């Protein structure tokens, strides 16, 4: 049986959005199924909307979306959510799994907060087995598809 929070995710996904605002709104709704101790892996090319989705998720936990930005140079941004921290990782610049290992990834993947990671393919072997894997796809113009990774394309 699918546990209730994830069942809710399956009600919402796959989804198509037509603007960044719609992607943020979807993120806020997805957040109802998310919480501390979970890692969400956001797959998708540059401009697919990963950071917009993170803004929406974080906003549901009390983080002002304008404070959420890709931590491309810092590797991780930590935001103070209402009840727990939110770790926002961007692995784009990670050169090797070893580098990520040395960076102390366990504190984020297995920490007290909710962990949201962009470019998770860079560190695939270290992703927790129970990570929620989502794929964002650019459909042209402002349209984006957000689906569980591995879901059949329409
Ligand atoms: P990523 O983090 O995947 O590189 P971003 O979220 O930073 O992508 O950027 C997505 C860009 O695309 C933003 O400039 C955003 O305004 C724009 N955009 C247009 N339509 C959408 C949409 N439907 N969902 C998300 N972003 C969109
Ligand atoms: Mg980004």
């Amino acid at each position: 049986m699918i546990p209730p929070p994830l069942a809710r995710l399956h009600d919402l996904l796959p989804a198509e959005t037509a603007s960044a605002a719609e992607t943020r709104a979807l993120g806020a709704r997805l957040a109802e199924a998310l919480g501390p101790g979970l890692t969400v892996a956001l797959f998708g090319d540059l401009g697919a909307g990963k950071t917009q989705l993170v803004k929406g998720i974080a906003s549901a936990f009390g983080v002002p979306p304008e404070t959420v930005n890709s931590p491309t140079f810092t590797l991780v941004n930590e935001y103070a959510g209402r009840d727990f921290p939110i770790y926002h990782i961007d692995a784009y610049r990670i050169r090797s799994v070893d580098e990520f290992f040395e960076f102390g990834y366990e504190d984020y993947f297995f920490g007290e907060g909710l962990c949201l990671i962009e470019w998770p393919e860079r560190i695939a072997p270290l992703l927790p087995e129970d990570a929620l894997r989502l794929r964002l796809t650019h459909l042209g113009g402002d349209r984006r598809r957000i689906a569980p990774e591995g879901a059949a394309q329409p």
Side-chain angles (χ1 to χ4, degrees):
M1 202 188 100
I2 303 171
L6 292 180
R8 211 174 316 150
L9 276 184
H10 287 272
D11 288 343
L12 295 171
L13 302 175
E16 249 186 67
T17 64
S19 67
E22 274 186 38
T23 296
R24 292 194 299 271
L26 176 70
R29 294 192 64 198
L30 291 174
E32 291 170 29
L34 309 177
L38 187 69
T39 293
V40 183
L42 300 170
F43 295 89
D45 293 338
L46 200 66
K50 302 179 294 296
T51 300
Q52 293 297 321
L53 196 71
V54 170
K55 282 177 186 278
I57 294 171
S59 73
F61 296 115
V63 179
E66 61 274 15
T67 64
V68 172
N69 289 297
S70 260
T72 305
F73 295 99
T74 50
L75 212 54
V76 60
N77 284 345
E78 188 170 334
Y79 314 116
R82 249 187 323 267
D83 300 316
F84 50 84
I86 293 175
Y87 312 123
H88 181 193
I89 295 177
D90 186 333
Y92 188 71
R93 280 170 195 282
I94 299 249
R95 280 175 302 258
S96 66
V97 167
D98 279 354
E99 186 182 334
F100 196 60
F101 197 78
E102 280 158 27
F103 151 79
Y105 77 100
E106 303 100 317
D107 295 347
Y108 303 107
F109 282 9
F110 307 105
E112 317 243 291
L114 169 64
C115 184
L116 308 169
I117 176 160
E118 301 190 33
W119 298 100
E121 48 272 78
R122 296 280 199 274
I123 47 98
L126 296 180
L127 276 183
E129 220 167 277
D130 65 351
L132 175 66
R133 293 165 166 81
L134 302 180
R135 164 78 56 182
L136 289 87
T137 311
H138 207 303
L139 298 179
D142 287 347
R143 289 170 55 243
R144 305 286 189 277
R145 175 182 148 93
I146 298 101
E149 169 70 332
Q153 293 295 313

